Amino acid sequence: MLLNIESLKGCAVAASDGEIGLVEELYFDDEAWGIRYLVVKTGNWIDGRHVLISPYSVIRAEPAALSVHVDLTRQQVSDSPPIDTHKPVSRQYEAEYSRYYGYPAYWGGPDVWGVSSYPAYSRAALSAVSPQTCAQLALSGDKLPGDSHLRSTDAVDGYHFAAADGDIGHVSGFIFDDEAWTIRYLTVDTQNGWPSREALLTMEWISLIDWFDSTVSTALTRDAIKNSPAYDSRIPLVRDFETRLYAFYGKAGYWSDERVALRLEGRGGVASAAP
């Protein structure tokens, strides 16, 4: 199902033995657009500190019920590696975090989730990944010289949005797939040159994100975006609308056999002017 990321904010995260806290924001990586962590503000039971919850542990998300259920105990979360959310999350921290929970590291393989297009939703599913693979991928974090590419959805919300022939508005939200835990679309509030409305653009049509200038750019023109199928955030996003959107731009949908085959051959990326 495709959901607006805003729908997760304020949701209570429920462990097997009680509530952990409330979702405040989400961290995604700016290469594969996977949602890597829920940032959760805990209650007084562990001094109200922030903790990271990986989609690997999510059993189900129920935004309508303001809840996210995870396959964890409160003690596991309490004993997890501490994180300072005021500082960038390092790859070394992620490797330590993955080893603590026994998760495979998403950055160690060819797909969005390392060895798969989807995170494992349970210990049973996770056990299908060999212990050797888990260990090798987690340990690879210590050997990578590059930094983590994690960004906050809150930080990008509000960025200027530039078409090929001029600015058109600002980023107003994100739509994610709650099975793949991947950001599929940006929503753009168009304000310049025509009556304000929201437009939907898949991450594949984003050519550059300038983290210095707080700007997201696309090679699409203002007229193309203006004339694209009208998006209404009050209505659930369904495959029929996605099909019309991709057809309008003359593109194959990410769910098509053609695209799946291309993804298996190799992954492209969006340019990033990162600090």
Side-chain angles (χ1 to χ4, degrees):
M1 182 183 296
L2 294 173
L3 301 171
N4 194 308
I5 276 180
E6 284 294 318
S7 68
L8 288 184
K9 293 182 181 179
C11 284
V13 179
S16 59
D17 55 353
E19 186 175 309
I20 295 171
L22 303 179
V23 177
E24 284 198 341
E25 60 183 319
L26 294 89
Y27 288 162
F28 67 95
D29 81 75
D30 62 14
E31 292 186 323
W33 302 105
I35 296 175
R36 303 309 181 188
Y37 305 103
L38 308 180
V39 182
V40 178
K41 176 68 175 298
T42 64
N44 293 331
W45 63 283
I46 49 173
D47 299 324
R49 68 183 175 94
H50 288 85
V51 296
L52 300 187
I53 300 295
S54 167
Y56 277 117
S57 67
V58 176
I59 300 171
R60 65 184 182 280
E62 299 177 325
L66 294 177
S67 64
V68 177
H69 296 264
V70 297
D71 183 22
L72 298 171
T73 66
R74 282 158 58 101
Q75 191 63 53
Q76 280 179 293
V77 174
S78 177
D79 294 340
S80 65
I83 183 70
D84 184 349
T85 55
H86 294 99
K87 297 179 180 179
V89 179
S90 69
R91 185 67 84 208
Q92 288 70 28
Y93 173 86
E94 289 193 274
E96 180 185 1
Y97 179 96
S98 297
R99 286 196 293 270
Y100 171 78
Y101 281 112
Y103 299 150
Y106 64 83
W107 61 87
D111 220 319
V112 177
W113 288 95
V115 293
S116 173
S117 298
Y118 300 88
Y121 287 94
S122 67
R123 294 290 175 182
L126 191 59
S127 66
V129 181
S130 73
Q132 293 83 359
T133 299
C134 246
Q136 289 171 357
L137 293 181
L139 287 172
S140 70
D142 296 329
K143 301 173 184 177
L144 290 177
D147 292 329
S148 171
H149 285 260
L150 296 183
R151 308 285 178 177
S152 167
T153 52
D154 280 359
V156 181
D157 199 1
Y159 270 29
H160 302 295
F161 196 91
D165 52 353
D167 293 344
I168 62 172
H170 65 269
V171 176
S172 57
F174 301 86
I175 304 295
F176 79 103
D177 182 326
D178 70 348
E179 289 186 316
W181 284 87
T182 300
I183 295 176
R184 297 294 187 195
Y185 301 97
L186 285 180
T187 58
V188 178
D189 185 353
T190 63
Q191 298 176 330
N192 303 331
W194 60 80
S196 178
R197 71 171 183 123
E198 278 196 309
L200 200 65
L201 289 96
T202 179
M203 305 310 300
E204 303 157 15
W205 305 334
I206 304 304
S207 56
L208 174 69
I209 298 182
D210 189 330
W211 306 105
F212 292 100
D213 197 36
S214 301
T215 300
V216 178
S217 301
T218 180
L220 301 173
T221 65
R222 287 159 51 94
D223 279 345
I225 297 171
K226 175 183 177 180
N227 295 318
S228 65
Y231 171 67
D232 187 342
S233 59
R234 297 169 297 179
I235 301 173
L237 182 56
V238 296
R239 182 54 52 82
D240 178 66
F241 181 89
E242 290 185 280
T243 300
R244 289 191 289 114
L245 183 67
Y246 273 85
F248 173 82
Y249 287 110
K251 307 290 186 180
Y254 61 85
W255 59 87
S256 68
D257 292 341
E258 173 188 349
R259 291 292 307 283
V260 171
L262 289 174
R263 180 179 56 77
L264 293 175
E265 290 177 9
R267 179 177 303 282
V270 173
S272 176

